Each structure stands twice: as C-alpha cells, then as structure tokens.
Amino acid sequence: MKAPGDLVIENIKIVTPIGNEALKGEAMDHLKVIQDGCIVIEKGIITYAGKKDSLPSSATISNFPRVNGRGNVALPGFVDSHTHLIFGGFRPDEFEWRLKGDTYMSIMERGGGIQSTVNATKEATKDELVRKAKWFLQSMSKMGVTTVEAKSGYGLDIDTELKMLEAISCLQNDPDVGIEIIPTFLGAHAVPVDYKDDAAGYVDFIIKNLHLFKGKAKFCDVFCEKNVFEIEDSRRLLEAAAKEGFKIKLHADEIVQLGGAELSAELGATSADHLLHVSDEGIHRMAKAGVVATLLPLTAFALREPYAPARKFIDNGCAVALATDLNPGSCFSGSIPLTIALACIYMNMTIEETITALTLNGAAALDMAEVTGSLEKGKRGDVILLESDNYKVLPYYVGMNCVSMTIAQGNIL
Ligand code: NIG
Ligand code: FE
C-alpha cells in the first residue's frame, strides 16, 4: 500500500449508507444523499464529510491537494469481499466444455476444475503469482474497488498454500498496489489427489497444521459442498479454525442444498457465500445469527445457474453483500459493473440495496464495517467518483464502467 494521503474532494454529491455495522433487511435501501458536498481526508482518514458550507475553515487543509468532482456522485469505495485472485494457469478449455453441456462438478470429478488450477499454481513461482494478480488488482481499482479479499486454496499442500499467502503479503506491501487486500486461508477448497475419497483425513491434516497459517490469513474458509467437504468435516475444520483465532466463512449451498447456511449460523460465521440453493430455514437462521449473505451473481451467470434469492434474504431481515468471486474456473470475471446490473435486473435488488451490498455490507463481510464502507468521519478515505451526478446510472450502464476516479486511503489511484 502507499502511505495514507491528505485530500480535499469538493463539488460532489455524497451518496452513502451510514453506520459501523452491516445494514440488514429494509435498512439496506436507505442511503444518505448530501448535495453540494465536500470530503476532507487527513492521513488516509475522513475527518469531514458533509455540506461544503458547513466545513469549518482550517489552516491545515488549505494546503491539501484538491479534487473538483464537477457536481458528480461520490460513493464509498467498493469492497469485493470474495475473490480467488491468486492462481496459476487459466481454464478456457473448461469454459468451452461447459458451453457444450458439461457441468462444473462433472469436470471436477474428472480431475479438472480446481485440481487443474492446483497443478498450475504448484508450478508457478511466487513472483509469477504476484505479477498476474497485480494486473487484476489494477483493473479492479479502475472499477472502484478499494478493498478486496483474496483466498488461498489452489495449493492443497502446506508449501503452495503458504506461497499463495506470501504472494498476497507481497501485494499488500507493494507501493504500486493501492487497494487493501484481506487474506483468507482456503486450504479446504478441494480434496487433493493424495487424499482421494478421504475428505476427513485431509481435514485432520489441515487442522493439525492450522497454526502454520495463523497470522497470515484473517479468515478460514471451506468449500462446504456435497462430495467435497460435507457438513461434519466443515464443522470440525471451522471450529478448530475459530479456536486458532481465525474468523470464519463458508462457500455454502452453491451447487446443491446441503445445509451450509444453517451451519454458518450455528458457528457464528462472519459470512456465508454463494447460497444459490439455500433453504428457507437457512435464510431465517442466518438472519437471526447476523451472518452476512455474500451473493455472487457473476458465478450464477457464468454457470447458467439460478441466482441466489436476494429478495428473500433481504425481506427476511438478513444483511446481503455482493462480490465478484473472480476465479479461473466457475467465474472468470471481476466485473463490478456487471455484478451491479445482474443484482438489479435478475435478483430484483434495488439500486440502493446494491450500493449498500457492495460498500458497507461488503466491509461487514470482511469484519471491517468500522473501518470502511461508508463516507463518514472516522472511516478510511476510500472514495469513488462516478462520471454522473445520478447514482441511479450504475445498473443502467450495463457492464460498463462509470467510475471516473478511485481514491483509496486518501490517494488517487
Ligand atoms: O467460489 N466453488 C468453489 N470455489 C470457487 C471456484 C474455484 C474454481 O473453479 O477454481 C467458487 O466458485
Ligand atoms: Fe469462491
């Protein structure tokens, strides 16, 4: 990251959710709008966000660099809270097989899918992984992303999982990278070949070695899925991870309805993600337990699967976040504009709910709602400017980027 900066952003319309925690249900629809606004960022932190007229005059800020927003909308930087952006190789052949009728799981059962990226990631050097990820991070920052989560999970052995997390650490320390990266340990992403038909044995192996990943990743995640890591193995792993001090997440109910949502509520996970096939009971329990439902419409789109029931989650009082799931297999896209369009057009989320889901609730899905996700005093200076004075253009620009400037911790990227 660059050192946090000072900045005054003038002549803007501020549009933001408000608060230091996830907005649930109906509250997701409420954004604060401030006309003739101004934001002051000092050493990377917002010290003022409000009407230009009410800005107290101060000698210090008169020397700060200034941005003229020309009356356009300022939103909080987007938080992409679910990605697999570190990986070796690519899988365009699989994409074509799916176009011709193969399914995601049938390819995985033949030894392709995640395992094929595992092979390529084992071969890649750390520097190669870093270089590749940097390109994705640059394109994400142009679409307004200021915080991104990145998972391991293409190693499935100690050395390669550590190599992936070290690549993330290099990116975090790189002054050319302006986006904050939150690392997640996803050692339980697939059952590796040497543990064929022994998911439980592999989970024992991970649990025994969890301490090696402690301090290198904030979250521990698992692909909780039929014929991958089913409920018992997922529960054992996540309970052990929580004991080691990891916060926990799950890939839940993505391909079939297995009860991953219910498990996330039982364990008090920070988020459960995907949820295309979630049960009604799972939705209720997540709402009650305050687990963020992270929905990934680009994956449903790319796999030709039904979209997750966003309306049911929101109407039952759950907090919904949206993220891209960028990965080389099920969803090779980090497109924030398309995520927004799909959420509004196919998941029937309002434009306001969609903004909350990609900002404050995305931050909450990373346990960072007190740090970023809204434009308020005390939050980080993560701000984006749109090329419009109307935030409602976001889904209207289908798949097109209308972010004209991304500012992370007070630095223009
Ligand atoms: O979130 N489903 C598990 N993991 C990823 C896909 C990873 C891959 O196909 O490489 C997902 O969809
Ligand atoms: Fe994923």
Side-chain angles (χ1 to χ4, degrees):
M1 288 285 308
K2 298 178 200 318
D6 298 326
L7 197 66
V8 176
I9 314 167
E10 300 171 297
N11 202 6
I12 46 175
K13 184 192 282 183
I14 299 174
V15 178
T16 181
I18 293 292
N20 285 335
E21 53 186 46
L23 295 182
K24 297 176 184 159
E26 206 264 327
M28 285 184 65
D29 207 28
H30 299 293
L31 300 177
K32 186 168 176 184
V33 178
I34 304 171
Q35 307 279 352
D36 303 315
C38 168
I39 294 173
V40 179
I41 302 168
E42 299 186 48
K43 293 199 174 66
I45 302 293
I46 297 175
T47 52
Y48 181 82
K51 286 257 179 219
K52 167 88 174 158
D53 294 351
S54 318
L55 173 68
S57 63
S58 133
T60 358
I61 70 165
S62 60
N63 302 324
F64 283 8
R66 297 182 115 73
V67 167
N68 180 352
R70 294 178 286 116
N72 286 333
V73 168
L75 292 173
F78 293 132
V79 179
D80 189 349
S81 63
H82 183 138
T83 84
H84 307 249
L85 69 86
I86 310 284
F87 59 87
F90 291 98
R91 285 151 49 196
D93 42 355
E94 269 180 31
F95 184 83
E96 193 185 1
W97 298 338
R98 287 205 307 271
L99 293 181
K100 291 182 175 161
D102 257 315
T103 66
Y104 181 75
M105 282 316 246
S106 68
I107 294 168
M108 190 158 162
E109 277 150 17
R110 295 205 302 265
I114 294 172
Q115 185 58 47
S116 107
T117 300
V118 167
N119 300 339
T121 307
K122 281 188 206 285
E123 271 173 34
T125 65
K126 183 180 76 183
D127 289 349
E128 283 164 355
L129 297 176
V130 167
R131 220 173 309 127
K132 193 163 172 184
K134 243 172 143 169
W135 187 87
F136 295 125
L137 290 167
Q138 265 155 12
S139 86
M140 287 171 164
S141 79
K142 288 184 190 140
M143 293 183 278
V145 174
T146 51
T147 308
V148 66
E149 184 249 20
K151 299 177 197 292
S152 71
Y154 291 125
L156 314 183
D157 64 33
I158 306 275
D159 289 350
T160 317
E161 289 292 316
L162 284 173
K163 179 172 72 180
M164 292 185 75
L165 293 173
E166 281 158 18
I168 295 172
S169 164
C170 289
L171 291 161
Q172 287 169 321
N173 295 323
D174 187 329
D176 291 346
V177 175
I179 303 188
E180 162 141 52
I181 309 164
I182 306 298
T184 292
F185 171 59
L186 178 57
H189 194 190
V191 181
V193 268
D194 34 337
Y195 281 88
K196 194 170 169 353
D197 300 326
D198 185 18
Y202 180 57
V203 166
D204 290 339
F205 167 77
I206 302 180
I207 291 176
K208 204 174 75 203
N209 289 290
L210 267 176
H211 63 279
L212 299 174
F213 301 94
K214 198 176 168 169
K216 295 187 162 69
K218 176 171 180 175
F219 290 94
C220 180
D221 193 349
V222 56
F223 187 18
C224 176
E225 188 63 49
K226 188 164 187 302
N227 297 332
V228 192
F229 301 100
E230 299 200 4
I231 296 294
E232 248 338 289
D233 285 329
S234 299
R235 180 189 285 114
R236 269 188 325 120
L237 170 64
L238 295 176
E239 278 176 348
K243 272 202 198 109
E244 276 288 348
F246 291 89
K247 298 206 166 277
I248 58 179
K249 287 182 171 289
L250 295 78
H251 283 63
D253 302 319
E254 177 182 358
I255 313 287
V256 300
Q257 190 177 103
L258 196 72
E262 289 85 337
L263 181 65
S264 75
E266 176 195 321
L267 299 179
T270 306
S271 73
D273 303 25
H274 283 290
L275 302 161
L276 305 187
H277 299 281
V278 65
S279 69
D280 289 348
E281 183 59 27
I283 294 176
H284 287 299
R285 293 202 197 166
M286 282 177 65
K288 201 158 161 229
V291 180
V292 177
T294 300
L295 309 184
L296 310 161
L298 291 170
T299 313
F301 175 70
L303 293 180
R304 292 181 172 143
E305 287 288 326
Y307 293 91
R311 273 269 56 87
K312 265 197 194 173
F313 275 108
I314 297 173
D315 296 343
N316 282 287
C318 209
V320 166
L322 287 163
T324 65
D325 196 24
L326 170 71
N327 74 72
S330 65
C331 175
F332 190 37
S333 173
S335 174
I336 296 289
L338 191 55
T339 300
I340 293 172
L342 295 176
C344 292
I345 298 170
Y346 287 114
M347 293 159 85
N348 297 316
M349 290 174 69
T350 67
I351 300 172
E352 293 76 8
E353 288 166 347
T354 301
I355 291 172
T356 300
L358 271 169
T359 56
L360 187 55
N361 284 7
L366 296 181
D367 197 35
M368 292 179 69
E370 291 177 1
V371 180
T372 188
S374 65
L375 299 177
E376 297 174 85
K377 189 173 169 180
K379 289 278 181 104
R380 232 160 48 180
D382 298 339
V383 187
I384 56 186
L385 301 184
L386 302 188
E387 192 58 33
S388 175
D389 62 358
N390 180 1
Y391 68 86
K392 303 216 180 201
V393 299
L394 278 167
Y396 163 68
Y397 277 48
V398 177
M400 290 203 297
N401 188 21
C402 58
V403 173
S404 60
M405 185 181 282
T406 303
I407 295 158
Q409 303 193 31
N411 294 305
I412 301 171
L413 302 187

